[in-house]
Amino acid sequence: MKLYHAPRAVNPERTFNFLKAKGKLDAVEIAEISIMEGEHKQPEYRKLSPFAQVPVLVLDDGTKITESRAICTYFEGLFPDPNLMGNDPKEKALIEMWDRRVELMLMLQFAMWFRNAHPMMAPLEKPQVPESAAKSEKSAKRFAERLDAHLADNEWLAAGRFSIADITLYLTCGFCNVMQWQPNKELEHLGRHYGAVKERLG
Ligand SMILES: N[C@@H](CCC(=O)N[C@@H](CS)C(=O)NCC(=O)O)C(=O)O
């Protein structure tokens, strides 16, 4: 199977690091796509990803899976150890709950801020809307504080153990650097969590 990956872009990094945490990077062929050079908008790539997004996983039978979390779900089924999405219904629900919170209330809000404010994003986000950037910045910063408060009482985000939710949060914090925002440096418990995930992923 072949994973279309864009290094440094947060959604592709999510699938890549999920697979890395499973110790299975060698199980897939990796093809790098340059978003800044517009490779994801080329007709050949659109045949794999109709919405022109990265990542995409193409299975040996030709099936195409997009959506980073769906790709992670496929990897979880294929490579069950270590478990990163929950062992029983309660763990699965708690891990999904926190992973979706991070994705929707931090990653997505930050992405809207970044896309609407950073000059590098001007070719991809037309038009850039400063009001949207300001609103999303506020939402992302507010949610980072809520995550920090949760991590003050919890070593890991969900179910008392390392999971995909921790990977999503760690990568999102790293991604925030592009706007010179480092939530893991500003917020004590996010910082402790960031260091722990970094050590774990190696
Ligand atoms: N919900 C999708 C989002 C994928 C996505 O937006 N990927 C970004 C890179 S992080 C992309 O391909 N952007 C290209 C563009 O905006 O033109 C997922 O989780 O895979």
Side-chain angles (χ1 to χ4, degrees), residues 158-183:
R161 66 178 186 80
F162 181 68
S163 73
I164 184 173
D166 299 297
I167 297 175
T168 307
L169 176 57
Y170 165 77
L171 294 169
T172 304
C173 283
F175 174 44
C176 289
N177 263 319
V178 286
M179 291 303 288
Q180 279 77 51
W181 179 41
Q182 294 182 300

Side-chain angles (χ1 to χ4, degrees), residues 132-152:
S132 176
K135 204 169 168 185
S136 299
E137 174 181 358
K138 205 169 152 191
S139 301
K141 289 188 169 171
R142 192 171 47 221
F143 195 67
E145 283 174 13
R146 297 182 90 163
L147 288 170
D148 190 61
H150 176 70
L151 289 169

Side-chain angles (χ1 to χ4, degrees), residues 31-32 39 51 67 90 106 129 131-132 141 172 178 181 185:
E32 289 193 4
E39 285 177 2
F51 304 153
E67 293 302 325
K90 187 166 106 179
L106 185 67
V129 180
E131 292 79 7
S132 176
K141 289 188 169 171
T172 304
V178 286
W181 179 41
K185 296 222 167 130

